[in-house]
Amino acid sequence: AEKNLKLEEKITMLQQQNEELRARIEQNTVITRQLSEENANLQEYVEKEVEEKKKLSRTNEELLWKLQEDAVSPVKLPPASSTSFYRCSSGNSSPAKVRTLRR
């Protein structure tokens, strides 16, 4: 009878452990589903970001190409006048006064 009582206590303890483990499995299953959904959303976000980056790279390359083309193509200037002006290096847009020094 004492042995049966100990075995019944052990059965009860094991049943409680079994219930606790089932509850943990259920919690883990819920968390796993949530994490899977979050992972799928993050992968979709990353794919969109990658596509946007590729698009921006292509745009950047096109703009760089246009800049290079503009730099290489001859600049269309108005016909030169018979007089030319010297511009001062300070960035002033008015013609510079040229002074001649006598020695």
Side-chain angles (χ1 to χ4, degrees), residues 10 57 83 91 93 96:
K10 192 168 186 176
S57 277
T83 58
S93 62

Side-chain angles (χ1 to χ4, degrees), residues 9-90:
E9 288 175 3
K10 192 168 186 176
I11 288 173
T12 304
M13 182 186 73
L14 289 173
Q15 285 175 337
Q16 287 175 347
Q17 283 181 349
N18 193 16
E19 287 177 27
E20 289 171 6
L21 290 172
R22 286 179 196 255
R24 287 176 61 185
I25 288 172
E26 192 173 318
Q27 284 178 334
N28 286 342
T29 302
V30 169
I31 290 171
T32 300
R33 283 189 194 121
Q34 290 173 346
L35 290 174
S36 292
E37 287 178 23
E38 186 177 346
N39 186 38
N41 291 337
L42 288 171
Q43 283 181 336
E44 185 178 330
Y45 174 78
V46 166
E47 287 173 12
K48 287 180 181 178
E49 288 293 315
V50 165
E51 286 304 314
E52 183 66 21
K53 185 178 177 184
K54 286 179 184 178
K55 182 180 174 183
L56 289 172
S57 277
R58 285 191 300 267
T59 303
N60 189 34
E61 286 181 26
E62 288 174 11
L63 291 172
L64 284 172
W65 184 80
K66 286 180 183 178
L67 277 175
Q68 289 174 349
E69 286 296 308
D70 288 346
V72 171
S73 66
V75 178
K76 295 180 182 176
L77 295 175
S81 62
S82 59
T83 58
S84 59
F85 295 101
Y86 291 99
R87 305 257 179 218
C88 64
S89 61
S90 65

